Amino acid sequence: MEKELTGKVALVTGGTKGIGKAIADRLSQAGATVIVTARNHPGDENLKHHFIAADITISSETDKMVWEINEKYGAIDILVNNMGGSSSPSGGFGVLTDKHWENDMQLNLHSAVRIDRAILPQMVEKNSGVIIHVSSITGALPVYESLGAYAVAKAALNNYSKSLAKEFTPKGIRIAAVSPGMVKTDTMDAYLQSLADTTASSIEEVTRNLMNSLGGIPMGRMALPDEIAELVGFLVSPRASYITGVNYIIDGGANPSL
Ligand SMILES: NC(=O)c1ccc[n+]([C@@H]2O[C@H](COP(=O)([O-])OP(=O)(O)OC[C@H]3O[C@@H](n4cnc5c(N)ncnc54)[C@H](OP(=O)(O)O)[C@@H]3O)[C@@H](O)[C@H]2O)c1
């Protein structure tokens, strides 16, 4: 792989598992120095990335993490706000409490806003940088039965990402969102298992039902994390120098509209 990111420092939040790990590996293969954050060390003795432990839904831990990055690595060139998810139960609108709404907003919107606020000034100073917000197809295609609050948080993230691009692209910073459909990660597998358990269905049935709730996936399967990482690898590279203010849907054709 061409070392087009040599000399660049990249921060990937949630970079120890799933899509974030694939992105971290992809950026590292392209030559970047990669810092990953998560609450827990992945336990891999041969981890090739720099790891910082922090719960980025908590502002004091985010501040500490940014301080450590500044001390050890200097300014960030590429920021991938990948961490996100949902801790809400399935069952539709009626089962969601204020706490579920707040948690999903923290996980998918506020954590990214907080990190952007800390990192953007350094990028503005250098007049360069790239920020990617990992969103979800549900930001444009709500799945109310199980991911209502998450979908709303991702829709907010999309709007926020666009607004940030409008403001900061003139200052030399490219900002884009990437919206995957269903991706085969351990968390997705666990989620499908919990749906299967609560509905007394098989994994195959709940997988098919979830795919159908998105209107079907013409590709006929979930994405692999590496397929999402490949898109992010392109977007943060100099090859994407005119791309900003967009939301790339990567869902195997599921979204019914353009
Ligand atoms: N998987 C899908 O099908 C899918 C589809 C569309 C969009 N997405 C989006 O893609 C992104 C990654 O999803 P994924 O499925 O790859 O996630 P994942 O496999 O569950 O990994 C989540 C990562 O974030 C870290 N993390 C979780 N909570 C954290 C917190 N409070 N503070 C700091 N780090 C935290 C986890 O490590 P620790 O647990 O150790 O903290 C882990 O490294 C998310 O934004 C998700 O919404 C996923």
Side-chain angles (χ1 to χ4, degrees):
M1 182 169 294
E2 202 187 325
K3 299 280 183 191
E4 59 190 353
L5 300 181
T6 299
K8 301 289 183 193
V9 179
L11 170 62
V12 182
T13 67
T16 58
K17 294 181 201 158
I19 297 169
K21 178 177 184 314
I23 293 171
D25 291 347
R26 174 64 180 73
L27 302 191
S28 166
Q29 282 160 15
T33 298
V34 178
I35 305 157
V36 293
T37 66
R39 289 163 301 180
N40 311 294
H41 191 282
D44 175 2
E45 282 173 17
N46 302 318
L47 185 71
K48 33 182 205 290
H49 313 305
H50 304 271
F51 172 79
I52 300 179
D55 182 337
I56 56 172
T57 61
I58 298 171
S59 85
S60 58
E61 293 211 15
T62 305
D63 291 346
K64 203 162 96 313
M65 177 190 87
V66 171
W67 178 85
E68 195 173 332
I69 289 171
N70 285 335
E71 285 292 299
K72 289 189 181 160
Y73 310 102
I76 298 291
D77 302 293
I78 297 165
L79 167 58
V80 183
N81 280 299
N82 162 76
M83 195 285 291
S86 177
S87 53
S88 298
S90 53
F93 172 72
V95 304
L96 297 179
T97 63
D98 278 357
K99 196 73 201 151
H100 296 130
W101 283 97
E102 279 161 24
N103 283 347
D104 282 6
M105 292 302 275
Q106 278 295 341
L107 280 169
N108 297 290
L109 178 69
H110 297 311
S111 55
V113 172
R114 234 177 256 126
I115 295 183
D116 290 346
R117 194 188 294 127
I119 302 290
L120 260 166
Q122 304 166 349
M123 291 184 170
V124 170
E125 210 168 289
K126 291 188 302 175
N127 203 33
S128 81
V130 188
I131 298 179
I132 303 294
H133 296 113
V134 178
S135 184
S136 160
I137 186 182
T138 60
L141 193 64
V143 187
Y144 64 83
E145 165 57 27
S146 55
L147 290 169
Y150 168 81
V152 169
K154 291 297 197 188
L157 181 68
N158 293 345
N159 189 297
Y160 159 73
S161 184
K162 178 72 178 174
S163 136
L164 211 62
K166 286 258 181 200
E167 184 174 350
F168 287 96
T169 297
K171 298 181 168 131
I173 297 140
R174 295 190 298 108
I175 297 163
V178 167
S179 290
M182 287 174 75
V183 186
K184 191 158 174 41
T185 61
D186 290 348
T187 299
M188 173 59 81
D189 286 344
Y191 171 63
L192 291 171
Q193 185 64 59
S194 77
L195 276 183
D197 293 346
T198 49
T199 56
S201 315
S202 69
I203 289 279
E204 291 71 26
E205 275 174 310
V206 292
T207 305
R208 203 171 41 248
N209 288 345
L210 196 55
M211 283 167 69
N212 288 342
S213 73
L214 299 174
I217 301 181
M219 195 66 82
R221 64 169 176 84
M222 294 187 236
L224 300 174
D226 283 349
E227 293 173 313
I228 311 302
E230 195 54 35
L231 173 60
V232 173
F234 165 69
L235 287 175
V236 304
S237 79
R239 287 175 289 139
S241 54
Y242 197 63
I243 296 178
T244 190
V246 285
N247 175 19
Y248 273 90
I249 292 176
I250 173 166
D251 64 354
N255 195 321
S257 59
L258 288 175

